[in-house]
Structure formats: structure tokens, C-alpha cells
Amino acid sequence: MTAGGPPNGPERAGPDLSDMRFDDWVARWLPVSWGPYARLCRLDRPVGTWLTLLPALAALVQAADGLPTLWRIAVFSLGALLMRGLGCTFNDIFDRDFDHRVERTRFRPLTSGQLTLRAALWFALAQILVSATLLLAINAYSRWLALALLPLVVIYPLCKRFTYWPQAVLGAAFNWGMLMAWSDTRDAVPWYAVAMWLGAVLWQIGYDAIYAYIDLRDDRMLGLKSVAMRFGDRGRAWIGGMYAATAFLWTASGWGMGMDWPYYLVMAVIAGHFVWQVRVFDVRHPERGLRLFRSNMQVGVLLIAAALAGTVLRPWL
């Protein structure tokens, strides 16, 4: 094995689906000994962090009925980075005996031997301790919500052993910041905030299902479960249904919050983006999934734009 790189071995035919890249900024700028830890918490793959953070930022805008404080933006941004990293660390710890048999994950630090299990566990503990310091920056209500989140982050990787819906647990955990945005800003979590969160959970089930089809063959071989396996050949209909429910919940939540009309205009754009994703998706061509998955960052940005349009623009309407 080369330092920080993939194990030596025979070349594979066809496109390389590995989600590890060894010619990126981690390899160029970080010390070699730091690289495996950066990859373990996915610092080299920020899409998941953005998909965790953007809905929370939108919720901060909604809860503040305008622009949130820079302090809250900083705290929630760091929290999203740490929670996503911790979730990925636990995922690789629990899946270390499976990942080397899956083409997409075969070069991850634990399964390829770049890190030991003991080192990964110490790193997980360090992330928990750093995350705990953020409890000092939020109110008591939000601290209890944060403590309730930790078990979800830890058990998610195990869910694929016994349920076809691990993405639902992931969606609940990684959009938890939306609830905490309200609890920390308003010291309350009203029904429309919960509805926004439920919409985000369904949205994540939809886009993670698209991603899960990439691993469908390997998951069947290993006896693991996912929503892609549950949806089967009817993936387009299921994903379309998840996205339709998301659009409905987000629209209804906007009504509950008293959002102004520009909010609904941006919601229409989001609905159009969902329609585009469903039209492009094809269970027979799962390789398209990565591009569609990444496109959901645009949805997150639009969600923030909708929140701003429905609040900040109010004085000019």
C-alpha cells in the first residue's frame, strides 16, 4: 500500500466507483498521518456536510424570522461538520468488515488498513468531546435535543442489518439541526418546524435512495438492506412520492409560519428540481445517481433562499 493511497492490486475493469480519491487537497496539503483521519470523517467529501448544514441554516432563518446571528450560524455550522464526521466515523467502524467487499468503499481508511480500529475509536471519542463543548453555546432545551441525537448517529450504521429503511434514521439524524434551530432561537419547536423537519427526512430518503442504487448489487451480496432494495424496480415512483410529500410539507409549513408569497415562488422552483431528478433517474442506470445526489445541494441553497424570500423581503412587499 502506498502512503495515504489505495492498496496495490489488479486493475478493475470498467469505471472506478471508489468514493476515495488520493490526488485531492487532503493528499496535497495535510501531513500523511492526518490523511486517513480526514477521510474517515469525510473532510475530503463535503457534500454530505453541506446537505446536513443547509437545511439547518434555512431553519435558523425561519426561526429568526429574518437573518440569524452570526454566532448561531457559526455554532450550527461547526455542529453540522462534527455530527456528520462522527456519523461517518461510526459508519466505517461498524462496516469495516463489509467495506472491503464493496467497490465504492473498498479503499476507506479502516477497511484498507490505513487506520486501526483502536485509532478510529479514539478519534470518535475526540469528536464527541469537541462536539460536547458546543453544548455550552446553546440553551437548555437544545442541549437535551442534542443528547437525544447522539444515539441516532451511532445506531444508523447498524440499521442496514435489520431494516430496509436505514435512510429514514439517517434523515432524522442529519436534519436534526432544523429542530435545534427553533429550540435555540425560540425555545420552542412548533408544529410547522416539525413539519419542515419531516419534509427534510423524506427528501433525504429520496436522494439517499438514488445513491443507494449504486450499491444495490453489493448490498444484496452482503445481506445488507436499504430503501433501494425495498423500492426495487419501482424506485422512480417511490422517490417521486417522497419528493412530492416533501414539497407539500415545506409548503404547508411556510403557510403555518406566515411566509410571504416569494417563499412559495422558490418552493415552485424546488418542486421543478424534484421533477427533473425523478425524470433523469433510472434504476437501470444507477451510475447517474452520484450526479443527482450532488444536485441536492442546490435544493438546500434554494431552501435557504425560500426562507430569506419569505422573511427578509417582507418590508419591501
Side-chain angles (χ1 to χ4, degrees):
M1 183 191 306
T2 59
N8 297 320
E11 295 294 328
R12 295 189 178 216
D16 184 1
L17 297 179
S18 170
D19 58 10
M20 295 287 108
R21 295 291 178 263
F22 299 96
D23 57 352
D24 56 6
W25 69 270
V26 171
R28 291 192 298 270
W29 297 105
L30 293 185
V32 172
S33 60
W34 292 16
Y37 294 98
R39 300 188 193 285
L40 184 63
C41 65
R42 306 294 194 273
L43 285 182
D44 58 327
R45 298 173 58 218
V47 175
T49 301
W50 283 114
L51 289 172
T52 303
L53 175 61
L54 294 173
L57 293 180
L60 281 174
V61 172
Q62 292 170 336
D65 197 25
L67 295 176
T69 65
L70 290 177
W71 174 251
R72 280 203 174 93
I73 292 174
V75 169
F76 276 77
S77 296
L78 184 56
L81 178 68
L82 289 168
M83 281 297 99
R84 194 261 179 152
L86 183 61
C88 292
T89 299
F90 277 115
N91 182 79
D92 284 12
I93 288 172
F94 288 124
D95 285 357
R96 64 190 185 279
D97 293 330
F98 294 108
D99 282 345
H100 70 281
R101 300 166 64 186
V102 178
E103 184 172 7
R104 184 175 61 83
T105 61
R106 66 193 189 277
F107 293 147
R108 287 182 175 177
L110 264 174
T111 198
S112 64
Q114 297 172 59
L115 280 181
T116 65
L117 176 59
R118 175 176 292 186
L121 289 171
W122 277 112
F123 185 56
L125 178 60
Q127 290 176 87
I128 291 173
L129 292 176
V130 174
S131 300
T133 64
L134 293 180
L135 297 177
L136 302 175
I138 55 180
N139 64 17
Y141 190 170
S142 302
R143 288 174 195 146
W144 285 111
L145 282 178
L147 291 175
L149 167 63
L150 186 58
L152 290 178
V153 174
V154 174
I155 69 169
Y156 155 69
L158 299 175
C159 293
K160 66 188 75 172
R161 272 78 161 172
F162 58 84
T163 177
Y164 289 108
W165 298 91
Q167 283 78 12
V169 179
L170 181 66
F174 278 53
N175 291 289
W176 202 257
M178 299 178 75
L179 301 177
M180 293 180 61
W182 282 88
S183 66
D184 195 56
T185 304
R186 298 280 190 95
D187 205 30
V189 183
W191 70 265
Y192 38 79
V194 176
M196 284 293 299
W197 171 73
L198 287 174
V201 173
L202 294 174
W203 169 43
Q204 182 150 2
I205 292 173
Y207 69 68
D208 266 349
I210 291 174
Y211 198 77
Y213 273 95
I214 299 174
D215 292 337
L216 187 56
R217 181 181 62 182
D218 291 318
D219 286 345
R220 283 174 174 158
M221 177 186 67
L222 296 172
L224 301 176
K225 297 177 172 65
S226 72
V227 289
M229 200 174 297
R230 174 65 181 85
F231 296 168
D233 292 337
R234 300 186 68 246
R236 177 175 288 173
W238 273 98
I239 293 166
M242 295 292 172
Y243 283 169
T246 295
F248 171 78
L249 285 168
W250 286 352
T251 301
S253 300
W255 173 81
M257 295 177 211
M259 290 282 143
D260 285 311
W261 65 266
Y263 174 86
Y264 305 102
L265 184 62
V266 182
M267 278 295 130
V269 177
I270 290 175
H273 190 281
F274 286 157
V275 170
W276 169 77
Q277 285 192 49
V278 173
R279 287 177 62 88
V280 173
F281 174 74
D282 190 336
V283 298
R284 297 168 298 180
H285 299 283
E287 67 278 1
R288 298 177 184 173
L290 185 58
R291 178 168 68 101
L292 293 174
F293 173 80
R294 288 174 174 167
S295 75
N296 282 280
M297 285 194 295
Q298 299 171 26
V299 176
V301 172
L302 286 169
L303 193 60
I304 296 175
L308 290 170
T311 56
V312 175
L313 293 183
R314 184 175 293 132
W316 288 276
L317 298 177

